[in-house]
Amino acid sequence: MRTTTVPRRLLAATALLPVLALAACGSDPKIAGAAGASGLAATASQDVLSGLTKSDAAAALLPEEVRTAGTLTFGASFGTPPTAFYADQATKKPAGIDVDFTDAVAKLLGLTVKREEAAFETILPALDSGKFDVGTGNFGVTTARLKTIDFVTYIDDGQGFAVKKDNTALQPVTDLVQLCGLTVGTGAGTTFETTLNNRKNVCTDAGKQPYEVKAFSESGALLTGLQQGRVDVVMSTINGLRYQASQEASGTRFLGEFHRLDVGFAFKKGSKLTPAFQAAVNQLIKDGTYERILRKWGVTDSAITESKISPPEHP
């Protein structure tokens, strides 16, 4: 899955199009202070990690060279709330679900996070090359990715659809055949793009005109395409689309969930880091920090009861 890529260009787009701004008008009652710039900044600044200290048991599971170095490099994708974004464009201080979980796990493991901003589609390949130790970007666990990537799960998100608010023709999508004849916008290099392209046959099998897939490298461009009528419907993350629809200025309507996916920290296949990360996430679940993070961002529906290493894709 994916919420964003190339944040600098995205931020430029938000400056030109107020409806895309991170400080969009409107509010989500599940997210404290979500209305307006100050509200979003207030949510981002909530400290739900205070009191967390190193867990010797979890840290002991790290490779010795990592414990000695004390630092891990994270390849991170940024864009819009609530996954990973910049609440304050001036300071570029990162915020969001991915950021809080990364920082929480690092505290428990006694590690310093070296966070490097990267385009979503470049992160997983960079794990194999060794450029990054860990990847974050709301990466969904899929059968295809499990061939080359290991995951440590921390939430359950998935695939959903959204349309312009005044579009009442399309109702919750439960079968891709409902998209036949439409233009579907989605993110480049995502599970959404793969799902759509791999299942185009549903339309021809039903004797209908295939849907067209348009992939965008930026979240801002994807939303603009929907608003300007260049795409009829967008496919993206459940949490991202739900949050977007809660912002009045976006002018979108969330069509509901299509397919749930576990989301996890991503690692090169066979990485020795996964046991320590799993132990840390499970410690967060046990001590209540996990629930505080989800409540902060209004995504308690994405809770899992236990972190797993590379579980099979949800059926």
Side-chain angles (χ1 to χ4, degrees), residues 30-45:
K30 297 181 294 182
I31 300 178
S38 60
L40 185 58
T43 300
S45 66

Side-chain angles (χ1 to χ4, degrees), residues 235-254:
M235 187 181 192
S236 190
T237 66
I238 294 168
N239 287 335
L241 291 177
R242 183 177 279 134
Y243 180 88
Q244 184 181 82
S246 75
Q247 306 303 298
E248 187 67 26
S250 74
T252 64
R253 179 169 65 91
F254 179 55

Side-chain angles (χ1 to χ4, degrees), residues 158-172:
Q159 303 172 332
F161 291 91
V163 293
K164 289 178 66 174
K165 200 168 187 177
D166 59 2
N167 180 347
T168 58
L170 193 60
Q171 296 305 314

Side-chain angles (χ1 to χ4, degrees), residues 11-36:
L11 294 174
T14 63
L16 295 172
L17 298 168
V19 293
L20 300 181
L22 296 176
C25 300
S27 64
D28 180 347
K30 297 181 294 182
I31 300 178

